[in-house]
Amino acid sequence: MLYYRIAGAVIVAISGVAGAYILNSSAKGALIQAEAFISLLRSLRSDIECFAMPIPKALGRCPAELYRRCGYQSDVPPESIQQLLEGCRIWDGELRGRLEGFCRSVGRGYREEQLALFDYCLGQLEERRRVLGDQLPSKRKMNSALCLSGALAIVILLI
């Protein structure tokens, strides 16, 4: 009987550590994803500004690694930014909201308007990346503390 309690306590402790790891990974993933979308939009903006390239062609020139860092799940490059966003698993809800607002407006105006839209969205994404980066250390500590203390509380109740 004692062995079952010890085994249960070990399983709960391992679950607490795994929960902390998953939450910390998602917090770090949101930061990495924000940086990837910033890189992607900068690349698209430069292709549009320098070469007057349409968005589908500019998307085709982006490296597959950049799409993976954005969270894009398909092997086929997207043909539109909307398709890219639909194919991504976005870790941060606020980042998703800003990108959806950008997707609704992009491709519907003259070149100068599009460049201004890219600049505005890049400014918003850089601000969000800054916030995510500033919050990351405290979020990691909080996630770890909550998961481990919750697991410890359950272990105390079991034993």
Side-chain angles (χ1 to χ4, degrees), residues 43-57:
S43 173
L44 294 176
R45 187 195 185 287
S46 73
D47 284 347
I48 291 170
E49 181 179 32
C50 297
F51 305 114
M53 198 175 288
I55 290 175
K57 190 172 181 182

Side-chain angles (χ1 to χ4, degrees), residues 3-76:
Y3 294 118
Y4 292 127
R5 287 185 181 187
I6 292 173
V10 169
I11 290 171
V12 169
I14 290 172
S15 297
V17 170
Y21 177 78
I22 290 169
L23 290 175
N24 290 337
S25 294
S26 69
K28 176 111 172 128
L31 178 62
I32 290 170
Q33 193 172 47
E35 291 170 348
F37 271 109
I38 289 169
S39 296
L40 176 73
L41 291 183
R42 281 186 182 148
S43 173
L44 294 176
R45 187 195 185 287
S46 73
D47 284 347
I48 291 170
E49 181 179 32
C50 297
F51 305 114
M53 198 175 288
I55 290 175
K57 190 172 181 182
L59 282 169
R61 289 177 37 126
C62 290
E65 174 60 30
L66 186 56
Y67 290 134
R68 279 192 290 281
R69 285 192 351 233
C70 287
Y72 189 64
Q73 315 244 328
S74 177
D75 293 334
V76 179

Side-chain angles (χ1 to χ4, degrees), residues 31 127-139:
L31 178 62
E127 175 61 30
R128 186 63 188 154
R129 191 212 66 76
R130 196 171 12 264
V131 167
L132 289 171
D134 291 345
Q135 290 177 346
L136 186 62
S138 62
K139 220 174 205 184

